[in-house]
Amino acid sequence: MYGDDIASVLITEEQIKAKVDELAELIAKRYPADAPEGDLLLVGVLKGAIFFMTDLAQALQIPTQMEFMAVSSYGSSTNSSGVVRILKDLDKDIAGRNVLIVEDIIDSGLTLSWLKRNLSTRNPASLEVVTLLRKPDALRTHVEVANVGFDIPNEFVVGYGLDYAERYRDLPYIGTLAPKVYTPV
Ligand code: 5GP
């Protein structure tokens, strides 16, 4: 639907579905359905994680609640600086709750590292991270991530929530962009 803007499909819709089910099974095992901390609290990072968050919540088959945060990282669009500003904070107190941060992609890991530090000061009972995608640079940062969907090459990807200039989020797969999209003519 975006003509020839997409250069290649990196991860198909079917592969994403299978991975979401696999991750859900691993995660559900860690959180008893009747935990004294209450329902597992999924914290989605807007906007990129929206599709992953909703698909994961449905696949989990344990009671979960959903909260969203929006953050913006200072720096260029391709290089995050690690200095993060909260655009939308959580609506609820997370003290004493089991919290799972749901991320779309970890690149440098700086945004996540900041987010984890920020949320841990709010005294959750537990704080873990699941990310659908991880790029090689992320391996150099010291953020513990409980579950990773796919390790991908160091390329800019779009689809399944991920955008380029707010476009392509609605693609059901993960793809790479044709250079003409971001090369000025
Ligand atoms: P980090 O702080 O890990 O370097 O940056 C993570 C954020 O950068 C992600 O949440 C996402 O918004 C953005 N990002 C990093 N790599 C990509 C990519 O390949 N495609 C898209 N659309 N966004 C990316």
Side-chain angles (χ1 to χ4, degrees):
M1 64 182 167
Y2 287 106
D4 54 4
D5 287 6
I6 304 302
S8 68
V9 176
L10 207 61
I11 307 168
T12 65
E13 193 175 352
E14 292 71 30
Q15 287 173 312
I16 295 173
K17 279 208 175 83
K19 186 61 78 177
V20 169
D21 287 344
E22 193 186 307
L23 291 170
E25 203 175 319
L26 292 170
I27 293 165
K29 278 188 192 141
R30 295 202 296 270
Y31 300 98
D34 52 355
E37 295 85 4
D39 296 343
L40 174 63
L41 190 63
L42 303 176
V43 172
V45 186
L46 293 172
K47 305 172 192 167
I50 43 169
F51 290 99
F52 182 40
M53 173 92 163
T54 54
D55 285 348
L56 183 69
Q58 291 195 337
L60 272 169
Q61 297 184 17
I62 53 168
T64 58
Q65 295 177 20
M66 288 186 235
E67 284 287 322
F68 292 93
M69 258 182 110
V71 297
S72 116
S73 175
Y74 289 101
S76 72
S77 57
T78 48
N79 259 311
S80 79
S81 61
V83 183
V84 176
R85 188 163 55 113
I86 295 179
L87 302 177
K88 186 217 168 295
D89 207 342
L90 302 175
D91 297 331
K92 295 259 161 62
D93 185 10
I94 61 168
R97 302 291 301 272
N98 285 322
V99 175
L100 180 66
I101 301 175
V102 181
E103 264 282 18
D104 47 357
I105 187 165
I106 310 176
D107 185 358
S108 70
L110 292 170
T111 308
L112 179 63
S113 161
W114 182 92
L115 193 60
K116 254 192 122 172
R117 255 181 289 128
N118 182 289
L119 294 188
S120 66
T121 64
R122 307 183 194 194
N123 302 315
S126 69
L127 181 62
E128 290 196 339
V129 182
V130 56
T131 185
L132 182 66
L133 307 172
R134 179 173 67 181
K135 288 191 186 176
D137 278 354
L139 298 171
R140 285 195 257 137
T141 57
H142 300 287
V143 199
E144 206 184 306
V145 179
N147 296 96
V148 178
F150 302 92
D151 277 309
I152 61 166
N154 209 357
E155 285 182 84
F156 191 82
V157 294
V158 294
Y160 196 63
L162 289 161
D163 75 310
Y164 175 70
E166 294 302 325
R167 303 189 81 205
Y168 312 107
R169 292 191 199 276
D170 46 1
L171 290 172
Y173 55 82
I174 307 278
T176 59
L177 274 182
K180 64 152 187 147
V181 177
Y182 48 82
T183 316
V185 281

